Structures are given as C-alpha cells and as structure tokens.
C-alpha cells in the first residue's frame, strides 16, 4: 500500500504541464464556441439556459473533487501514507473554485428564471455548506502550526463533511426544492436534447482538464511546501 | 495489512456507522423544516397550517389565470389531485405560465385561499430547442408540461 513519489514522477508531471494547459484552453475555446454559437436556445428559457453549460460541469466537479478529497483523507487516516495527504491538499482549492463557480452561475441563472438570485432551499443551502467545508479544510490546515495535528483535524473535517455529498445529490428528490431535479443522471433517457448535450459534454471535458492541470501544479507545490516544512522543523 | 492499519480501519468503520446513523436521524426529523414548499394536498391535509406564512408549490392550473388589474392576479395551484386558489399582487416572473411549475410565498388563509406576496417560477428538468418541441407536439409524442 505504501506508494512513494519518485523524482522521475515529478519530472514527468512537470513536462506534461504545458501540454495540459494548452489542452485545457483548447477545450474551453471549443466548448464555449459550441455553447454560445453552435447550440439552440431553450424553448422556455431562451438564451439564459446557456449558463447551464458552465454551471452543471462546475457543480459535478465540485461534488467529484470533494469525493476524491474525502476518499484520500480516509486512505491517509488508515494507512498514514503521506501521498494521500498531498493529493487531498492538491485538489481542495480547485474544488472550492468549482463550488464557487456553480453558486455564482446558478445565481445569475436564477434571477431571470425563478425571479430571485437566491433561495434557501435544500439544494442551494447544501451547496453553500460544501463551499464552507472546502474553506474550512484549507483554512484549518494552514492555521494549525503543528502539521501532523493539522493533517489529522482537517482530514477528520473532510471525512465528516462527506455526509453533505449525498445530501446535495439527492436533495432534489428527498425534499421539495425550487431547484429542478437531475436531467442527466436520471434512469430514463436524459431530458436534454442532443444538440444541447454536445456543448455540455465538451464543457465537462474542459472542466475535467482544468481540474487535472491545476491539481498537478498544486501537487508539485504541496511537495515543495512539505520539503520546506521538514527543513524548517529540523 | 499490519495490525495498526487494521485497528485504524476498524475504528474508522465504527465511527462511520455511528455518524451515518446520527445523520439519518437528523435528516428524518428535520424533514418538515427542510422542504422548501408544500403541495396543495399536503396543505389541505394539515388544517393547522391555516393562518401561517409558508410556501406553496405546484403547477398553475389550466384556464385558472385571471387578472383583475395589471398587478392583481388570481390563479390556482394544482398537484394533479387538489387545487388551492391563490391571489397575488405584484410583478409576475417572465417564465410564469399556466401548466408550468410555480412556488408562491404568503399566507394560507383560514378560508382555504392563499394570499401570495412573492411568486417564483419553477423550472423543470427539460431542456429542448423550440423546433424540437414543435415536432414533438405535431407528432403527439410531447409528454412535457
């Protein structure tokens, strides 16, 4: 179970970086072109539904990133392999950005559609809690100077906070919410037309590339940070 | 797997079970406070809700919409089984229409009517281009609202 990060791994990640940045920008350009020009407007919402192309992938990756974060914290708790701690700290910031993106874009969409920027329904509130969980995780690790203790406390918070993930996912099914239920992951056929699924999937790929690129840059930074902490504590 | 890892794993699984039971209890008991709105049937069943400020949601009944003046509107909200009449004074959101989802906030009166002071349009999970809707309606395959 003990996986060690070797220097040639880091060199490989470093050399892949420019390609990943290029691929991310390329995917976003294509995705935005399809989202804004190559897809029809919605039959009720008109053009404002185009916000969905960034809102939905952001929300998906906000949840997925948190799941990876909590998963690596569990593995770190059990095995105490520092690699999992590094992974968790690498992806937390990107996850926070995705959550913030989905909150802001959702708010912009909510005003013309619902008539309000924000409501305290179960979906929106649980998503805001997710944002605070990310902040708390990042802040706790930075605020506690004993890094062994900091890792333990922040990992415990991340694991307990995982309860929020199924709550967000199923909030629209369990409770009456203003937010509409899932369109893509429901068991019957998706209720989004194919012409609208194409830009959505390109934007999802773009967001995924963004997640990978930024996380790998963060990964190298966290390793450097660890090295500095070790030398300063000697 | 070393014994240390094993003991941590057991501790972790035990705390996981305890925490999830606690959360299930909380969620189950908070159900009434978490829901954003009541449906007409739920509201009619609980007559003790009369005279209280709350939210009511459902579809705007077909042919129920009337406007007294430019800013006073009457319509009913249905869930397919029951209907509640709503009076609203104010500006309606753009997506407000008959047979579409809506959530209203206001007072459920003792006579069973609902006086709303806020109307929110609720969007469903369907995303379609206008041409597709036309084709579906022509072929009679459109099952949406």
């Amino acid at each position: 179970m003990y996986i060690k990060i070797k220097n040639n791994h880091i060199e490989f990640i470093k050399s892949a970086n420019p390609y990943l940045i290029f691929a991310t920008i390329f995917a976003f350009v294509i995705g935005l072109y399809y989202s804004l020009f190559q897809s029809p407007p919605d039959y009720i919402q008109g053009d404002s539904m185009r916000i969905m192309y960034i809102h939905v992938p952001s929300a998906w990756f906000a949840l997925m990133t948190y799941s990876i974060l909590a998963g690596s914290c569990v593995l770190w708790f059990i095995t105490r392999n520092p690699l999992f701690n590094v992974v968790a700290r690498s992806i937390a910031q990107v996850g926070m950005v995705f959550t913030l993106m989905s909150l802001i874009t959702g708010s912009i969409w909510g005003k013309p559609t619902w008539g309000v920027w924000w409501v305290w329904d179960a979906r929106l509130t649980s998503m805001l809690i997710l944002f605070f969980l990310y902040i708390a995780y990042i802040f706790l690790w930075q605020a506690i100077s004993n890094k062994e203790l900091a890792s333990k406390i922040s990992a415990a918070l991340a694991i307990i906070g995982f309860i929020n993930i199924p709550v967000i996912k199923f909030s629209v099914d369990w409770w009456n919410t203003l937010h509409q239920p899932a369109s893509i992951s429901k068991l019957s056929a998706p209720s989004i037309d194919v012409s609208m699924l194409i830009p959505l999937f390109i934007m999802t790929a773009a967001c995924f590339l963004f997640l990978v690129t930024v996380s790998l840059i963060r990964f190298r930074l966290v390793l450097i940070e660890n090295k500095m902490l070790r030398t300063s504590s000697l | 797997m070393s014994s240390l890892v094993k003991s941590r794993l057991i501790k972790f699984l035990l705390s996981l079970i305890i925490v999830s039971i606690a959360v299930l209890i909380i969620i189950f008991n908070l159900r009434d406070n978490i829901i954003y709105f009541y449906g007409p049937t739920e509201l009619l069943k609980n007559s003790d809700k009369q005279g209280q400020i709350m939210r009511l949601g459902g579809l705007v009944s077909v042919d129920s919409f009337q406007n007294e003046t430019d800013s006073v509107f009457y319509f009913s909200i249905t869930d397919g089984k029951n209907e509640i009449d709503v009076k609203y004074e104010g500006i309606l959101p753009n997506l407000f229409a008959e047979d579409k989802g809506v959530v209203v906030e206001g007072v459920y009166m003792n006579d069973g009517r609902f006086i709303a002071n806020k109307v929110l349009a609720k969007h469903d999970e369907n995303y379609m281009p206008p041409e597709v809707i036309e084709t579906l309606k022509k072929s009679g395959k459109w099952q949406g609202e």
Side-chain angles (χ1 to χ4, degrees):
Chain A
M1 201 63 182
Y2 201 91
I3 312 152
K4 212 170 163 357
I5 311 149
K6 294 191 186 109
N7 265 334
N8 55 345
H9 294 155
I10 299 165
E11 282 307 313
F12 176 74
I13 293 170
K14 209 173 173 178
S15 62
N17 189 40
Y19 301 103
L20 281 171
I21 292 176
F22 177 76
T24 308
I25 295 171
F26 183 73
F28 268 116
V29 169
I30 299 284
L32 284 175
Y33 174 68
Y34 267 88
S35 309
L36 297 174
F37 304 109
Q38 285 297 315
S39 58
D42 182 60
Y43 73 112
I44 303 174
Q45 302 170 65
D47 282 324
S48 70
M49 64 79 65
R50 294 178 197 277
I51 298 170
M52 174 193 80
Y53 298 133
I54 186 73
H55 174 74
V56 173
S58 301
W60 279 344
F61 284 112
L63 299 195
M64 201 183 90
T65 309
Y66 196 89
S67 309
I68 301 171
L69 174 71
S72 18
C73 285
V74 169
L75 288 173
W76 179 80
F77 238 105
I78 295 167
T79 66
R80 292 297 154 91
N81 182 339
L83 174 69
F84 296 119
N85 187 16
V86 173
V87 169
R89 280 158 54 206
S90 306
I91 60 169
Q93 275 84 352
V94 204
M96 188 189 73
V97 169
F98 278 131
T99 315
L100 188 64
M101 274 301 282
S102 73
L103 286 170
I104 293 173
T105 53
S107 193
I108 296 171
W109 178 85
K111 184 64 188 168
T113 314
W114 297 333
V116 282
W117 297 101
W118 181 266
V119 289
W120 293 99
D121 83 344
R123 170 58 74 83
L124 276 66
T125 309
S126 55
M127 205 63 190
L128 187 66
I129 292 171
L130 182 71
F131 181 61
F132 292 147
L133 280 171
Y134 273 119
I135 293 181
Y137 175 82
I138 296 163
F139 180 75
L140 268 179
W141 201 88
Q142 284 171 357
I144 302 168
S145 50
N146 177 347
K147 289 307 173 195
E148 179 67 24
L149 186 68
S151 302
K152 276 183 193 164
I153 294 177
S154 54
L157 174 101
I159 295 166
I160 295 169
F162 183 75
I163 296 156
N164 196 26
I165 297 297
V167 171
I168 295 174
K169 176 77 185 78
F170 297 110
S171 55
V172 286
D173 304 321
W174 290 344
W175 305 297
N176 297 337
T177 53
L178 187 61
H179 194 286
Q180 63 268 34
S183 305
I184 300 275
S185 62
K186 63 180 192 183
L187 289 171
S188 54
S191 13
I192 301 185
D193 192 65
V194 184
S195 57
M196 294 168 172
L197 281 177
I198 296 165
L200 182 61
F201 282 136
I202 301 173
M203 287 302 278
T204 307
C207 284
F208 179 71
L209 281 168
F210 179 77
L211 170 67
V212 173
T213 311
V214 179
S215 301
L216 286 178
I217 295 171
R218 283 278 314 155
F219 186 80
R220 287 190 289 143
L221 269 171
V222 171
L223 286 178
I224 294 167
E225 194 183 10
N226 276 0
K227 207 175 264 179
M228 283 166 71
L229 286 169
R230 245 176 279 140
T231 43
S232 66
S233 62
L234 281 173
Chain B
M1 209 187 273
S2 73
S3 64
L4 195 62
V5 171
K6 212 170 192 172
S7 79
R8 282 201 212 111
L9 186 65
I10 291 166
K11 266 186 221 162
F12 170 74
L13 288 176
L14 273 177
S15 33
L16 191 73
I17 292 166
I18 294 167
V19 170
S20 27
I21 290 171
V23 169
L24 280 177
I25 293 170
I26 293 170
I27 287 179
F28 187 76
N29 283 300
L30 279 180
R31 199 194 170 269
D32 267 5
N33 297 319
I34 293 174
I35 61 166
Y36 189 67
F37 60 84
Y38 290 94
T41 309
E42 284 170 291
L43 215 54
L44 288 169
K45 254 190 272 171
N46 301 306
S47 54
D48 58 308
K49 296 268 191 281
Q50 286 181 345
Q52 286 184 29
I53 295 169
M54 59 180 56
R55 297 190 196 91
L56 164 70
L59 294 177
V60 180
S61 314
V62 182
D63 296 330
S64 72
F65 183 75
Q66 291 166 25
N67 49 332
E68 198 175 81
T69 65
D70 278 350
S71 62
V72 181
F73 307 99
Y74 295 93
F75 52 91
S76 344
I77 291 180
T78 176
D79 58 0
K81 291 183 212 121
N82 290 296
E83 274 191 5
I84 288 182
D85 293 332
V86 181
K87 182 191 175 190
Y88 171 64
E89 200 175 334
I91 302 159
L92 289 171
N94 291 336
L95 295 188
F96 179 90
E98 281 183 354
D99 215 17
K100 292 278 171 218
V102 72
V103 175
V104 297
E105 196 177 290
V107 186
Y108 183 41
M109 305 301 279
N110 291 324
D111 59 1
R113 280 188 315 148
F114 200 96
I115 308 292
N117 50 38
K118 201 166 166 190
V119 171
L120 306 173
K122 186 167 162 33
H123 185 256
D124 60 26
E125 72 271 30
N126 297 309
Y127 295 84
M128 294 286 163
E131 309 88 69
V132 175
I133 295 299
E134 283 308 307
T135 341
L136 282 173
K137 273 180 180 161
K138 265 178 212 157
S139 64
K141 278 182 189 155
W142 177 238
Q143 290 160 349
E145 288 133 19

